[in-house]
Amino acid sequence: MPKKMMPSLIALCLTAPAYAGEIDELYNTNCASCHNTSLRGSAHGATLIGPSFVEKWQDRAIDDLRQYLRLQMPPGQSHTLNGQQHDALAAYIVEKNGSSLMGSTLL
C-alpha cells in the first residue's frame, strides 16, 4: 500500500492559495490549454475528471499525484510553478472529482 504523507484532502488544501478564484485562474492559465477548462481533456492532454481519471489514480496516494504534477506539468515547464501551486492544482483536480473518489487513496 502506498505511503501517504498527508492523511486527507483537507490537509492538502491547507497548502492551496487562499481564494478559489486564484486556483481557477492558476488552472486556466497553466492547464486548460491541454486539459480543457472542464478538465475533460483534449487531443493534447488527458482527462482530469471522471471515470478515466479515477481508474488511473484511485489506488495511488495523493503524494503520487503531487509528485507527478511537480515533475511533469506543464510539460517541459514544470519549473514555472512552485510547490504550493502544484499542490493547489492537485487539490483542485481531486476536489473536482468529488464523490467519485470516495474510498480511494487519493483522499
Side-chain angles (χ1 to χ4, degrees), residues 18-64:
Y19 302 103
E22 288 182 43
I23 299 172
D24 289 334
E25 182 178 337
L26 182 65
Y27 177 85
N28 289 335
T29 301
N30 295 284
C31 311
S33 63
C34 293
H35 299 284
N36 204 315
T37 56
S38 67
L39 285 78
R40 298 262 178 229
S42 73
H44 304 289
T47 184
L48 300 176
I49 196 167
S52 296
F53 177 83
V54 172
E55 185 176 316
K56 180 176 181 174
W57 289 95
Q58 68 184 350
D59 295 326
R60 298 177 74 180
I62 188 67
D63 286 337
D64 293 341

Side-chain angles (χ1 to χ4, degrees), residues 5-18:
M5 293 179 70
M6 297 186 118
S8 71
L9 176 59
I10 294 168
L12 179 59
C13 288
L14 293 176
T15 65

Side-chain angles (χ1 to χ4, degrees), residues 39-107:
L39 285 78
R40 298 262 178 229
S42 73
H44 304 289
T47 184
L48 300 176
I49 196 167
S52 296
F53 177 83
V54 172
E55 185 176 316
K56 180 176 181 174
W57 289 95
Q58 68 184 350
D59 295 326
R60 298 177 74 180
I62 188 67
D63 286 337
D64 293 341
L65 178 59
R66 292 169 62 213
Q67 184 72 2
Y68 177 76
L69 294 179
R70 285 179 183 215
L71 295 175
Q72 302 293 326
M73 295 293 144
Q77 298 179 353
S78 61
H79 65 280
T80 62
L81 300 175
N82 64 39
Q84 183 181 13
Q85 290 170 317
H86 278 110
D87 290 350
L89 289 168
Y92 180 83
I93 293 165
V94 170
E95 176 191 2
K96 293 295 183 182
N97 278 277
S99 62
S100 61
L101 287 171
M102 291 308 256
S104 87
T105 57
L106 278 177
L107 295 180

